[in-house]
Amino acid sequence: MAKLGFPFTLGVASGEPSADGVILWTRLAVEPLHASKTGGMPNQAFSVKWELAEDAAFSRIVQSGAAPAQPDWAHSVHVRVSGLRAWTEYFYRFSVDGHTSPVGRTKTAPGPDSTEPIRIGVISCQRYEHGFFTVLKHLAAERPDVIFHLGDYVYEYGKPANPQPGRYLRPLESTEECKTLAAYRRRYARYQLDKDLQAAHAAAPWIAMPDDHEVRDNYAGLLPGDGSSQAAFVKRRNAAYKAYYEHLPLRVRPVGNNLQFYRWRPYGKVADFLFVDARQYRSGRNMLGTEQQEWLTTRLTASTARWKVLAQPLFFAPRKFPLEPPSADAWDGFPDSRAKVLAAATGDLVVLSGDVHNAWAAELGNGVEFVTSSVTSRPPSTDGSATLALNPHLKYFDGRRGYLMVTASMTDFTVDYRAVAFVDQPGAPVVTAAGFRVLNNKLQRTDL
Ligand code: FE
Ligand code: CA
C-alpha cells in the first residue's frame, strides 16, 4: 500500500475527564474536504498508536497503546484511558504510518475529597462563515482545567443565495445545507481545519453538549420543526449525531436513534457538573423528557458539592423583550420544566448557558445564571439596556463575541466575561468586560 499522506490534519482533542481517566481523540483525514471519499482515506481500518506522558517532551510516558480507526466511523479514534492520577496534567499524541500528530494537553478531574479550585472556560455558537475563531485562540492561551462547549459547534446551513454584506466571511466547503452523513462530516472537517479551534481542543479536555444547529435549526426531539417528514428527519438526526460523535472526544457512541448526552461530571467537593440535553427528548411542554427530568431531580437533590452547576445550551432565566414575545424555543417556552429544575435545587445552583449570541447574567432566586456570548455567530438585534430595564433579575448584558472564564472554589464562584471587539478579521485582543462573584445566590460585581 502507498504511504499515507499526513493524516492528522484535524488536530487532536481530549474530553470527558474523570478522576482516573480521559478520552483521547483524533481523526485520520489526508484530504479532509474530499468530495466523495470520506477524509480522502482508503476504505480500510488503521491501527493508530497513542502515547500519554507527564511532560510535553514525552520523556516520561506513563501509558501507550493502539486504537482502531475504522472507515465506518470516518477513521475517528476514541481512546478510553483509565488508571490515571486525579487532578493531573498529561500530554498525548498519536502516530500512524510514520506520521506523528500534534501534542495535546489534558487534565484529569479531581478526586472525590478534593477542595482544589477549578478553572473552566465556557463557549458556544461558533458559526464558521461569521468570522474568525479569535475567541478560541485566547481561550486556549488560558489553559483552563476544562472547557465546556454548550452547543452550536457547527451550523448546518448552506450558503445563502444572496448573503448580506459581511455575513459570509469565510467560505464553507459546500453551498448546500447539511442533511446527510457525508455532508455533516465535511462540515466538521471544514471547522476542524481551523487552527484556533485545534488550539482550543489541544489546550484542555472538553465536555461538550450539542444544541440545535449540530442537526437543524430549532428541532425538537424527533420533530424537524418545519413540518417535513418525521422518518426523513430521524435519518438526518442519526447522521448528525453520528458525525458529532466522530468529531468530538465523547465517552459513548450513538445507539439506535439515540446518543446520550446528559451526564454528571463530579469535580471533587467543589462542583457537580450536570450536563443537560435540551433537544433530544422534547415533547409538548416538556423540555427534558421524563427520564432525564427524574435523573436531574435526583442528582440535584443528592448533590453535596459546594456548587451545583447546570451546563446546558439555552437561556434559562425568564426574559421579556421590549418588542418581541419571549423565546418559545428556550426555557421561556417550557415554564413547567424550568419550575421543576428550580424546585429540585436547594440553593447554590449555577446555570451556564449560551445560544443567544450575547452575554448575560441573571439571578434565579436559589441560584444564578451566566450566559456566554458566541465565538463568532452574529447576535440578533437586541436592545440590551431596554431588556435589562424590563427584567430586574437580569444584571448584565454585553453585545460582543466572547467566552466565560469561571473559577469555582469552596468559598467562591467567580466569572470573568472575556470579550473581543471584532471577529471579521483575525487578531482582536481580548479584554475582561466584567467580573462577577456569587454571594448567597446573588450576583456581585468584582470589577467595579
Ligand atoms: Fe447559535
Ligand atoms: Ca442554538
Side-chain angles (χ1 to χ4, degrees), residues 359-363 369-371 393-397 417 436 443:
W360 298 84
E363 291 177 350
E369 176 177 16
F370 298 101
V371 185
H393 60 287
L394 301 185
K395 302 296 180 189
Y396 178 68
F397 168 84
Y417 284 79
F436 287 94
L443 294 167

Side-chain angles (χ1 to χ4, degrees), residues 125-126 151-152 155 211-213 355-357 377:
C125 294
Q126 46 193 35
D152 293 357
Y155 284 72
D211 188 27
D212 53 343
H213 287 292
D355 180 53
V356 292
H357 307 174
S377 308

Side-chain angles (χ1 to χ4, degrees), residues 31 41 63 159 188 200 237 274 333 335 339 360 390 396 425-426:
E31 285 179 72
M41 292 290 292
Q63 284 195 36
K159 182 180 180 178
Y188 280 92
R237 198 183 84 164
L274 299 162
W360 298 84
L390 261 185
Y396 178 68
Q425 293 174 57

Side-chain angles (χ1 to χ4, degrees), residues 43-344:
N43 187 25
Q44 64 173 85
F46 289 83
S47 177
V48 179
K49 190 182 172 199
W50 59 272
E51 294 170 301
L52 186 91
E54 287 173 342
D55 61 318
F58 289 82
S59 64
R60 298 192 306 279
I61 294 175
V62 290
Q63 284 195 36
S64 61
Q70 289 160 331
D72 281 357
W73 296 93
H75 293 98
S76 62
V77 177
H78 292 78
V79 183
R80 278 171 179 246
V81 185
S82 59
L84 301 179
R85 284 205 318 271
W87 205 229
T88 304
E89 186 176 71
Y90 292 98
F91 298 85
Y92 60 95
R93 66 185 175 194
F94 300 90
S95 56
V96 68
D97 202 23
H99 299 286
T100 303
S101 76
V103 173
R105 168 199 177 261
T106 192
K107 190 167 180 177
T108 48
D113 295 326
S114 172
T115 54
E116 291 285 319
I118 307 150
R119 289 178 67 249
I120 309 145
V122 183
I123 43 176
S124 84
C125 294
Q126 46 193 35
R127 191 159 168 184
Y128 184 84
E129 63 271 34
H130 280 188
F132 293 86
F133 291 163
T134 314
V135 159
L136 299 179
K137 187 192 180 93
H138 290 301
L139 171 61
E142 300 212 34
R143 290 161 75 99
D145 298 319
V146 59
I147 290 174
F148 296 170
H149 195 292
L150 300 182
D152 293 357
Y153 183 98
V154 294
Y155 284 72
E156 81 283 17
Y157 298 122
K159 182 180 180 178
N162 294 301
Q164 287 170 279
R167 282 201 163 244
Y168 195 78
L169 293 162
R170 295 200 288 171
L172 294 168
E173 75 298 337
S174 162
T175 54
E176 299 296 311
E177 181 171 330
C178 296
K179 290 180 176 168
T180 64
L181 180 58
Y184 284 113
R185 281 170 167 170
R186 291 180 67 227
R187 183 59 50 89
Y188 280 92
R190 170 72 280 167
Y191 277 57
Q192 292 187 332
L193 281 164
D194 184 282
K195 295 296 175 204
D196 295 332
L197 178 54
Q198 290 188 12
H201 275 301
W206 284 38
I207 308 176
M209 174 59 71
D211 188 27
D212 53 343
H213 287 292
E214 287 86 349
V215 182
R216 186 194 184 283
D217 184 30
N218 284 356
Y219 83 93
L222 290 168
L223 299 172
D226 65 352
S228 64
S229 141
Q230 182 170 340
F233 180 70
V234 172
K235 229 179 128 190
R236 180 178 178 181
R237 198 183 84 164
N238 289 352
Y241 283 3
K242 188 167 195 285
Y244 187 82
Y245 168 78
E246 288 169 349
H247 294 85
L248 282 155
L250 299 188
R251 213 169 259 280
V252 294
R253 276 185 178 189
V255 179
N257 292 335
N258 299 293
L259 177 50
Q260 190 178 320
F261 298 117
Y262 71 84
R263 55 213 192 268
W264 168 50
R265 292 272 165 259
Y267 265 61
K269 291 190 160 148
V270 177
D272 275 332
F273 299 125
L274 299 162
F275 285 80
V276 167
D277 180 342
R279 290 282 162 197
Q280 188 172 182
Y281 310 110
R282 281 184 183 206
S283 66
R285 308 313 317 144
N286 187 338
M287 179 175 267
L288 303 182
T290 313
E291 222 173 284
Q292 181 179 208
Q293 182 86 58
E294 280 170 14
W295 166 83
L296 181 58
T297 301
T298 305
R299 277 278 162 230
L300 282 173
T301 313
S303 174
T304 55
R306 176 69 184 84
W307 306 101
K308 299 118 183 72
V309 180
L310 209 67
Q312 54 86 44
L314 302 174
F315 202 102
F316 188 80
R319 187 172 52 149
K320 286 183 232 144
F321 296 109
L323 300 172
E324 305 124 66
S327 165
D329 182 61
W331 289 88
D332 267 335
F334 299 82
D336 295 350
S337 300
R338 179 168 57 200
K340 279 185 189 155
V341 174
L342 286 169

